[in-house]
Amino acid sequence: MTAPHARRVLLLAGTTEATALAGRLVGAGFDVVSSFAGVTSAPAARPGRVRRGGFGGTTGLVDHLRREQVDALVDATHPFAAVMPFHAADAGRAAGVAHLRLVRPAWSEPPGAGWVRTADVPAAARVLAGLGAERVFLTIGRQQLGAFAGCPQWFLVRSIEPLDGWATGAPVARPQRIEQLLERGPFDVAGELAVLRDHRIDVLVAKDAGGTATRAKLDAAHELGVRVVMVDRPPAPEGIEVAATVEEALRWVGSRIGD
Ligand code: NAP
């Protein structure tokens, strides 16, 4: 007698939630494939199987779901992934595969903090002059650094990967006056206070990623009276099932394809 094959979950990864969910699903007996875009050179090891690289748009993802006999698709990409969530929603529908988006809630603003909200990163670059910014802490990663290329301010840029020599080999446009800080979260308030003080930061630019791993900079900025420019999340697909936590996503998988 052959054992029934474990139910297969394709997990679109790239977040701490995706890593945690992979572990919980593998522990529960699911056959989990974590998929990475291939942007970060060396993602940390994780339970289950791993694949890397794009699928080739919605059509490629539909083919993949069918070919690999995927039972459930969980999109746990970053809240700022602007394309993949739409591909996942459309492909899940087209292939008839159960689909969930796992996305953590947006951050809430401390009372009186007066965050300046912008629709996107270029808009964040445009508001700096009006805020009288001189020394700016940029925590938006490195891919959209070019938006600040024409800005006269001094920038401290924190990213996981160095600004040079990244995956595509393409030159990265950047501001003239810049210092790199290569660090991977999580960060704590004491450390973030030190970063803001040591570099005499007057404005912090952040993307509304949500979650706890990178929240400390906002609390540190509030404590020091550093202005915050918060970039809002991109539009997301509507009419899909959404979970806010790993626990919720785990329950969803169990209810949709568990025994
Ligand atoms: P995106 O703009 O939504 O997607 C661009 C393309 O990258 C997609 O069309 C897809 O290519 C491919 N892709 C994205 N996520 C993938 C995945 N998990 N597995 C396989 N292919 C994937 O995404 P992004 O903003 O570039 O983010 C790429 C990855 O970095 C995601 O895994 C995301 O979770 C992670 N990440 C993003 C941010 C951010 O701020 N955007 C921050 C932290 C982590 P095809 O069309 O060819 O399938």
Side-chain angles (χ1 to χ4, degrees):
M1 195 179 83
T2 50
H5 86 86
R7 305 308 302 274
R8 185 164 296 160
V9 180
L10 177 63
L11 181 57
L12 304 176
T15 55
T16 49
E17 287 83 357
T19 308
L21 183 60
R24 299 292 298 275
L25 288 171
V26 168
F30 290 95
D31 174 17
V32 179
V33 179
S34 292
S35 173
F36 290 89
V39 182
T40 304
S41 53
R46 68 206 52 241
R49 296 187 282 141
V50 167
R51 69 167 295 286
R52 281 169 71 84
F55 297 92
T58 305
T59 317
L61 183 53
V62 170
D63 290 347
H64 180 95
L65 293 172
R66 290 187 173 136
R67 190 176 59 245
E68 299 296 323
Q69 300 181 317
V70 172
D71 297 302
L73 172 62
V74 178
D75 171 12
T77 55
H78 194 267
F80 276 83
V83 177
M84 200 67 215
F86 288 92
H87 288 185
D90 291 344
R93 229 173 268 132
V97 170
H99 162 255
L100 176 77
R101 184 164 193 214
L102 166 58
V103 63
R104 62 185 93 123
W107 280 318
S108 55
E109 182 176 341
W115 291 353
V116 177
R117 288 203 166 263
T118 66
D120 53 26
V121 170
R126 288 195 295 273
V127 301
L128 290 179
L131 292 174
E134 290 182 3
R135 298 178 64 85
V136 180
F137 186 22
L138 277 186
T139 61
I140 58 158
R142 55 192 181 147
Q143 297 193 40
Q144 289 179 281
L145 212 52
F148 298 87
C151 294
Q153 291 84 8
W154 178 90
F155 291 91
L156 179 65
V157 177
R158 180 159 68 195
S159 60
I160 296 173
E161 306 260 334
L163 302 183
D164 294 311
W166 65 310
T168 66
V172 180
R174 62 176 68 175
Q176 293 294 310
R177 301 166 60 218
I178 194 169
E179 184 176 322
Q180 290 186 52
L181 192 57
L182 292 183
E183 280 181 338
R184 185 192 286 268
F187 305 103
D188 61 20
V189 176
E192 299 292 57
L193 283 170
V195 170
L196 295 174
R197 281 198 185 108
D198 291 351
H199 296 90
R200 293 177 287 115
I201 298 297
D202 49 30
V203 174
L204 163 71
V205 180
K207 297 200 291 190
D208 195 349
T212 54
T214 58
R215 162 89 212 184
K217 63 190 171 198
L218 303 171
D219 298 326
H222 189 49
E223 195 171 323
L224 298 178
V226 168
R227 296 299 305 270
V228 172
V229 177
M230 184 62 71
V231 180
D232 284 334
R233 296 173 171 194
E238 293 175 358
I240 58 168
E241 294 188 79
V242 177
T245 64
V246 170
E247 287 301 326
E248 270 180 48
L250 190 64
R251 280 198 296 276
W252 179 90
V253 174
S255 71
R256 297 300 296 262
I257 63 166
D259 291 332

